[in-house]
Amino acid sequence: MFKVLLLGGVGIMPLLCPDAVAAAPSVARGEYLVTGPAGCGNCHTPLGPEGPDFSRALGGRLVDENPAFTAYAPNITPGGRMARWTDEELVRAIREGRRPDGTLIGPPMPFALYRGLSDDDVHSIVAYLRTVPAVEGEQPDSVYNIPLPPDYGPPVVSVAHPEEGVTVGYGAYLAGPVAHRMECHTPHGPQGPMLETHAGAGGFEFRGPWGISVAANLTPHPEDGIARYSDEQLKAMITQGVHPDGTPMMPPMPYAYLARMTSDDLDAVILYLRSLKPLPLHH
């Protein structure tokens, strides 16, 4: 099951720069992030018998139900309660997990990584969410049978936007704060994902209508990691959900969203994954 994410185990930390000057946010950038690498609809869009119900895109749904919690992803369209929040309140909710009334949002939102979203990108996401078609109705409140922490860290003052390009650094930003892949593909300990010691080692179990799927080892380990695959094979696995032998991969990986990544962004992510410390699949 998901654990509460605490910053003590975070290996990809945000750059907190009070004097950072962010580029002007844009709706276009927000659309690319939300419908592409960030894959917000993977949790916030209802699922029907045939898959996502895009007639109610981003209208919220039941994300996970387990002994620790029953988590609902809320309606994040202009038809939901967040339409009444200011831009800064919504930014704070995304990066710090704090609602305007001061209450804390619980897992599985990956706040440990979202804290690293740049000012430019998080404001672009908010700008785009203001433009999407309104979906009426609201999801129930999530119920937690575990204690939530007092917070997920100190207030995020400002996060500088990284230099974009096919680099390890930008790939780390895309795989971490943007796409939160490292949260899914890192084993969890009592304090959440063990990013400092086991980043990308896989082994986390996801349970759903499909059964049980196990997060793959994203490190370049020669036996059970990505060292076995070419870049083209990795791209097909990430964006098409297809193993090199042609067999389909399992949910909940958001293949359709990741397929919208630009070729440069995809290359940067793969370059970053190749740079990780080789670790065996975590059991």
Side-chain angles (χ1 to χ4, degrees):
M1 71 186 87
F2 288 101
K3 307 285 187 179
V4 175
L5 305 182
L6 301 180
L7 289 180
V10 175
I12 303 174
M13 292 295 293
L15 177 61
L16 302 181
C17 301
D19 299 323
V21 178
S26 71
V27 171
R29 173 68 173 176
E31 180 178 13
Y32 170 66
L33 295 173
V34 171
T35 65
C40 300
N42 201 47
C43 287
H44 287 272
T45 293
L47 290 176
E50 304 301 322
D53 179 4
F54 289 112
S55 70
R56 296 182 57 81
L58 303 178
R61 71 175 177 91
L62 172 64
V63 176
D64 195 15
E65 186 172 10
N66 59 60
F69 55 77
T70 299
Y72 289 89
N75 180 351
I76 55 176
T77 76
R81 71 185 69 164
M82 283 180 234
R84 300 189 293 272
W85 298 3
T86 67
D87 287 357
E88 289 303 325
E89 287 172 339
L90 191 48
V91 165
R92 188 184 185 204
I94 293 171
R95 289 203 297 203
E96 299 180 30
R98 185 74 66 183
R99 300 182 185 91
D101 65 4
T103 58
L104 201 67
I105 301 169
M109 274 281 279
F111 300 112
L113 293 176
Y114 280 168
R115 291 176 63 82
L117 281 170
S118 74
D119 297 346
D120 184 20
D121 279 350
V122 74
H123 281 281
S124 293
I125 288 171
V126 169
Y128 172 65
L129 292 178
R130 302 296 194 196
T131 72
V132 301
V135 174
E136 299 303 323
E138 197 55 81
Q139 301 298 317
D141 292 336
S142 298
V143 176
Y144 292 92
N145 303 316
I146 54 173
L148 296 180
D151 54 51
Y152 297 109
V156 179
V157 178
S158 184
V159 182
H161 193 70
E163 182 177 352
E164 298 182 17
V166 184
T167 64
V168 170
Y170 191 56
Y173 174 72
L174 292 170
V178 171
H180 54 88
R181 293 305 98 202
M182 300 311 294
E183 190 257 349
C184 294
H185 286 268
T186 295
H188 286 212
Q191 300 300 311
M194 299 184 290
L195 289 163
E196 291 183 352
T197 57
H198 293 77
F204 190 85
E205 293 187 351
F206 292 89
R207 301 171 185 270
W210 57 84
I212 301 176
S213 54
V214 180
N217 181 358
L218 297 185
T219 78
H221 192 273
E223 295 179 7
D224 54 28
I226 64 171
R228 301 169 291 165
Y229 307 120
S230 69
D231 285 0
E232 291 306 313
Q233 288 173 327
L234 284 176
K235 290 177 183 179
M237 295 167 74
I238 293 171
T239 64
Q240 301 172 32
V242 179
H243 287 287
D245 64 4
T247 58
M249 299 173 69
M250 297 175 68
M253 184 87 163
Y255 310 108
Y257 296 95
L258 298 177
R260 296 173 60 93
M261 293 179 70
T262 66
S263 58
D264 279 356
D265 282 1
L266 188 55
D267 285 340
V269 168
I270 291 175
L271 192 65
Y272 163 66
L273 296 179
R274 299 275 191 210
S275 77
L276 292 173
K277 178 183 178 180
L279 297 170
L281 178 68
H282 189 268
H283 296 285

